[in-house]
């Protein structure tokens, strides 16, 4: 065997004490002679490819372990999402896999379980219970014909398995002290035998950032001598050496340098090699199990390249249908979604699915979940319409362009009123008769002079208003320095403000009641949208606004709180760039009516 050429000579070590390196009667990961008569060979039957369009993150299950165990170096980048298998939650990385065991449930596995041996022989972290799976064991046992190091490599796992034959163990006397470290793993004919670890590999594995639990735990005893081979990397031939240990393997590239100008060392890509050889372990889920969207995502009719069925957002509840699909390296779940008056199924990528959520948290979705017709209607109007709806009763939010700023017109009178009441409360008093008259005419009759008097003269203008909004943690409003009517707000911010008012989280009880009563008595010709499309018998608090913009086109909006029976929702609909006021009115009426029909069952 060709010995490893050392490029960085450090002090020599020769360890022979069995107290330091005891013989493992359990035959660490198949042991010294576990593969002597093993002729199994496995041709790679899978082609695992990680999609380039999605960046996978380390699962929250494994994030702390990954950080504390130098995961970027020891495990590499994630190859899959974390997903449930029969034994727990598993996530594959380029150079390994982690499993978080869970209590066995009545899951139905779709294929033969191949993880039991790996779980038994894995390295268990006592603090978290996480098991690092010894994928190298599976690859050697299977006799994977994966080409190590790259296409055209002269070495496979079958060759490594042959090199682990007990007959190839060497004695301590064969070690040149300046070249390598001898590690005893057994005895033969009364002599200590084991394998030599070259200085470059030795200095690598004893680093605390490489082996945070110690090299004996993270790597195990050496199982082979150094094996030289050649592989093509990025179209160029590289001269490489590999050495395999009980739990991992290292590759040194003589034709690639690290930051110190020495040959680069990396772990074997056991995670990727396992997936390409044996495929993904079977997903184990229950049909009708509740999951939640962890971020905005499309539900598709076909995994990966299908058409969007609906768009869901953070914390939106979904029901697993029991079907899964691997496509381009991504796991997909078939799920059912539900809205008050409609439901359907679709496929969602596993990287945006959470198996933990709460019905008390607000669930987000686009308008197409609520109504496909409404979604098509607003989409056809592009950025000239913005909608935000919060179903208070069911804790669901639906939106379209909800974070896009729109001119406020008279809807600015709502934050003026709320900030003014807050100012009075800070003074320890309620509104006097004159102030009450201004508030009434500003809200019920939409009197602009009353709004100007309260905003500029009484409240103190934009600085006071912004201070109040900051106090109640509502952003998204930008005051116009010269004219309050041309201030801008996002539909979401208006809904947030009205929701705080409805839920009693701002103002005292008396002032809240006054504010809501004023909004419930807006004169009839000012009730366009939320007001004139509300369901019969509904209690409605609202404020509309319209104005001709600087571009000569119309702005029209309608916002309010609607309660009928047990259902309450808060809505804000904004339109802009309309040729006529009537066009904007038609838009807000159509949207508000559609929302009422969808939410009032």
């Amino acid at each position: 065997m060709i010995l490893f050429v050392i490029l960085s000579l450090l002090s020599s070590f020769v360890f022979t004490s069995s107290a330091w390196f005891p013989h493992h009667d359990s035959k660490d990961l198949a042991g010294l002679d576990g593969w002597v008569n093993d002729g199994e060979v496995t041709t790679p039957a899978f082609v695992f490819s990680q999609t380039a369009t999605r960046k996978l993150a380390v699962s929250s299950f494994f994030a702390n372990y990954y950080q504390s165990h130098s995961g970027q170096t020891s495990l590499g980048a994630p190859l899959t999402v974390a997903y449930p298998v029969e034994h727990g939650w598993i996530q594959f990385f380029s150079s390994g896999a982690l499993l978080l065991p869970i209590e066995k449930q009545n899951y139905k596995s779709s294929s033969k379980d191949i993880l039991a041996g790996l779980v038994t022989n894995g390295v268990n972290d006592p603090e978290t219970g996480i098991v690092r799976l010894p994928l190298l064991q599976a690859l050697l046992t299977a006799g994977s014909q994966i080409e190590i190091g790259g296409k055209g490599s002269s070495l496979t796992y079958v060759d490594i398995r042959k090199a682990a034959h007990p007959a190839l163990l060497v004695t301590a006397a064969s070690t040149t002290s300046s070249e390598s470290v001898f590690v005893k793993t057994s005895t033969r004919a009364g002599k200590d035998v084991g394998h030599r670890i070259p200085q470059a590999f030795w200095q690598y594995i004893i680093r605390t950032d490489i082996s945070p639990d110690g090299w004996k735990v993270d790597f195990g005893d050496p199982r082979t001598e150094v094996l030289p081979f050649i592989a093509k990397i990025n179209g160029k031939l590289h001269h490489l050496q590999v050495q395999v240990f009980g739990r991992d393997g290292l590759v040194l590239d003589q034709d690639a340098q690290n930051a110190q100008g020495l040959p680069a060392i990396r772990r074997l890509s056991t995670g990727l090699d396992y997936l390409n050889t044996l495929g993904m372990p079977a997903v184990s889920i229950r049909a009708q199990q509740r999951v939640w969207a962890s971020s905005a995502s499309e539900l598709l009719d076909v995994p990966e390249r299908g058409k969007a069925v609906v768009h869901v957002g953070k914390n939106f509840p979904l029901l697993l249908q029991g079907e899964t699909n691997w496509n381009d390296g991504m796991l997909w779940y078939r799920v059912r979604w539900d809205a008050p008056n409609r439901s359907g199924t679709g496929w969602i990528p596993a990287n945006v699915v959470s198996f933990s959520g709460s019905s008390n948290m607000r669930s987000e979705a686009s308008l197409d979940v609520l109504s496909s017709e409404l979604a098509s209607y607003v989409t056809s109007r592009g950025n000239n319409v913005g909608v935000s709806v919060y179903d208070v009763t069911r804790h669901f939010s639906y939106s379209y362009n909800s974070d896009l700023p729109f001119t406020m017109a008279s809807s600015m009178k709502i934050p003026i009123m709320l900030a003014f009441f807050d100012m009075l409360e800070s003074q320890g008093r309620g509104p006097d008769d004159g102030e009450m008259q201004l508030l009434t005419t500003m809200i019920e009759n939409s009197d602009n002079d009353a709004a100007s008097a309260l905003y500029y003269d009484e409240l103190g203008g934009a600085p006071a208003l912004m201070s109040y909004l900051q106090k109640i943690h509502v952003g998204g409003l930008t005051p116009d320095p010269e004219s309050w009517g041309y201030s801008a707000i996002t539909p979401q911010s208006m809904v947030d403000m009205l929701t705080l008012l409805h839920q009693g989280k701002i103002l005292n009880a008396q002032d809240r009641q006054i504010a809501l009563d004023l909004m419930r008595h807006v004169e009839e010709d000012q009730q366009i949208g939320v007001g004139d499309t509300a369901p019969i018998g509904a209690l409605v608090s609202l404020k509309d606004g319209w104005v001709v913009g600087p571009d000569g086109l119309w702005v029209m909006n309608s916002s309010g709180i609607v309660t009928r029976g047990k259902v309450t929702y808060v809505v804000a609909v904004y339109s802009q760039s309309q040729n006529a006021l009537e066009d904007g009115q038609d838009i807000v009426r159509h949207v508000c009516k559609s929302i009422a029909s969808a939410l009032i069952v």
Side-chain angles (χ1 to χ4, degrees):
M1 180 177 294
I2 301 174
L3 291 179
F4 186 86
V5 178
I6 301 301
L7 299 178
S8 175
L9 298 180
L10 300 173
S11 58
S12 63
F13 298 85
V14 178
F15 297 118
T16 59
S17 170
S18 60
W20 279 59
F21 301 102
H23 173 66
H24 294 278
D25 293 331
S26 61
K27 295 178 182 177
D28 182 24
L29 304 188
L32 298 175
D33 55 1
W35 298 298
V36 170
N37 297 313
D38 194 343
E40 182 178 354
V41 174
T42 303
T43 301
F46 301 88
V47 179
F48 179 85
S49 60
Q50 184 180 1
T51 176
T53 59
R54 293 185 177 87
K55 291 184 178 180
L56 297 178
V58 178
S59 167
S60 58
F61 292 136
F62 306 118
N64 289 338
Y65 177 96
Y66 189 87
Q67 183 177 6
S68 64
H69 287 72
S70 305
Q72 188 172 0
T73 301
S74 64
L75 290 163
L79 292 179
T80 70
V81 296
Y83 66 95
V85 294
E86 185 175 359
H87 293 281
W89 283 87
I90 194 170
Q91 184 168 22
F92 281 87
F93 302 83
S94 58
S95 296
L98 299 177
L99 182 131
L100 178 63
I102 58 175
E103 184 178 352
K104 189 174 179 61
Q105 301 184 36
N106 295 321
Y107 287 140
K108 293 182 179 180
S109 298
S110 59
S111 64
K112 183 181 178 181
D113 174 32
I114 59 175
L115 293 177
L118 295 179
V119 175
T120 300
N121 290 316
V123 178
N124 185 287
D125 180 50
E127 293 185 5
T128 63
I130 291 171
V131 180
R132 177 162 181 160
L133 301 178
L135 302 184
L136 178 61
Q137 173 190 353
L139 290 165
L140 294 173
T141 300
S144 171
Q145 291 186 315
I146 287 283
E147 297 171 327
I148 293 174
K151 291 294 183 181
S153 169
S154 59
L155 201 70
T156 71
Y157 286 95
V158 177
D159 299 312
I160 291 178
R161 186 173 64 190
K162 292 177 181 178
H165 196 286
L168 298 178
L169 291 167
V170 300
T171 64
S174 65
T175 301
T176 301
S177 61
S178 62
E179 291 183 347
S180 56
V181 174
F182 175 77
V183 176
K184 171 190 171 182
T185 58
S186 186
T187 58
R188 184 173 61 203
K191 295 182 179 181
D192 293 337
V193 292
H195 286 292
R196 296 163 293 196
I197 304 177
Q199 284 287 348
F201 281 165
W202 175 254
Q203 294 301 324
Y204 185 83
I205 66 174
I206 64 174
R207 284 166 45 185
T208 56
D209 60 321
I210 300 300
S211 303
D213 291 326
W215 73 271
K216 291 285 286 184
V217 173
D218 292 337
F219 282 88
D221 288 337
R223 290 290 174 246
T224 68
E225 291 290 288
V226 170
L227 307 176
F229 67 106
I230 296 174
K232 184 174 288 186
I233 301 175
N234 297 326
K236 295 183 179 180
L237 288 179
H238 283 239
H239 298 80
L240 308 164
Q241 286 109 359
V242 64
Q243 185 167 30
V244 165
F245 299 78
R247 295 187 179 90
D248 215 333
L250 292 175
V251 176
L252 181 144
D253 189 341
Q254 290 182 320
D255 298 307
Q257 295 183 339
N258 61 22
Q260 289 73 41
L262 299 175
I265 298 176
R266 59 179 172 82
R267 277 174 163 84
L268 282 172
S269 56
T270 53
L272 182 60
D273 293 344
Y274 180 99
L275 294 175
N276 280 323
T277 302
L278 300 170
M280 278 67 67
V283 183
S284 194
I285 58 174
R286 299 193 311 266
Q288 304 307 307
Q289 181 179 358
R290 178 76 68 187
V291 295
W292 290 262
S294 59
S295 61
S297 180
E298 297 177 326
L299 299 189
L300 305 182
D301 60 352
V302 176
E304 187 63 40
R305 296 172 178 84
K307 296 180 180 179
V309 178
V310 291
H311 297 75
V312 297
K314 188 174 182 180
N315 201 53
F316 193 89
L318 303 162
L319 285 177
L320 295 174
Q321 299 301 287
E323 298 175 56
T324 61
N325 181 278
W326 285 98
N327 193 298
D328 200 15
M330 176 57 68
L331 173 64
W332 291 74
Y333 297 113
R334 185 168 176 265
V335 296
R336 192 186 84 194
W337 54 272
D338 292 283
N341 276 310
R342 62 194 301 258
S343 63
T345 62
W347 291 88
I348 186 170
N351 66 323
V352 291
V353 171
S354 171
F355 280 68
S356 60
S358 172
S359 58
N360 294 323
M361 294 176 60
R362 185 181 300 192
S363 301
E364 301 173 1
S366 295
L367 281 180
D368 55 7
V369 171
L370 194 60
S371 167
S372 59
E373 178 279 328
L374 177 58
S376 297
Y377 177 83
V378 296
T379 300
S380 68
R381 283 151 180 79
N383 288 338
N384 289 331
V385 176
V387 182
S388 180
V389 189
Y390 177 40
D391 183 343
V392 180
T393 304
R394 304 177 183 93
H395 304 293
F396 278 67
S397 287
Y398 307 94
S399 62
Y400 174 78
N401 284 340
S402 62
D403 291 325
L404 194 67
F406 290 84
T407 300
M408 298 184 71
S410 286
S411 67
M412 177 67 164
K413 294 165 184 174
I414 292 178
I416 291 175
M417 173 181 64
L418 299 180
F420 182 72
F421 272 122
D422 183 74
M423 182 191 72
L424 295 182
E425 290 179 10
S426 68
Q427 297 172 358
R429 66 183 184 88
D432 59 28
D433 291 343
E435 291 165 339
M436 194 66 229
Q437 179 62 30
L438 290 173
L439 287 166
T440 301
T441 56
M442 178 178 72
I443 299 298
E444 294 185 0
N445 311 117
S446 201
D447 185 87
N448 292 336
D449 291 337
S452 294
L454 288 172
Y455 183 56
Y456 295 117
D457 301 335
E458 299 287 338
L459 185 62
L465 177 63
M466 296 306 294
S467 177
Y468 172 68
L469 294 176
Q470 185 176 14
K471 173 183 176 180
I472 64 173
H473 306 293
V474 171
L477 190 155
T478 305
D480 185 280
E482 298 180 358
S483 176
W484 54 260
Y486 287 125
S487 298
I489 195 172
T490 66
Q492 184 63 57
S493 296
M494 179 57 74
V495 165
D496 290 343
M497 200 181 313
L498 291 177
T499 300
L500 291 173
L501 178 64
H502 166 74
Q503 294 179 333
K505 295 181 178 179
I506 56 175
L507 306 186
N508 62 38
Q510 180 178 349
D511 290 340
R512 282 197 306 274
Q513 192 58 53
I514 295 173
L516 291 170
D517 282 343
L518 292 174
M519 295 172 66
R520 289 169 186 161
H521 292 87
V522 171
E523 61 184 63
E524 188 173 348
D525 63 352
Q526 299 280 332
Q527 297 186 27
I528 300 169
V530 176
D532 60 6
T533 65
I536 296 175
L539 181 64
V540 183
S541 303
L542 63 93
K543 191 73 193 80
D544 299 340
W546 58 84
V547 70
V548 177
D551 56 1
L553 299 176
W554 281 91
V555 168
M556 171 69 200
N557 59 69
S558 184
S559 305
I561 306 166
V562 180
T563 298
R564 183 173 181 265
K566 297 181 179 180
V567 177
T568 296
Y569 63 91
V570 183
V571 59
V573 183
Y574 281 75
S575 69
Q576 63 187 6
S577 301
Q578 302 302 309
N579 292 321
L581 174 59
E582 291 75 17
D583 295 334
Q585 292 174 336
D586 289 344
I587 290 173
V588 297
R589 282 192 176 110
H590 185 102
V591 173
C592 290
K593 184 176 181 179
S594 298
I595 290 171
S597 299
L599 291 178
I600 304 298
V601 179

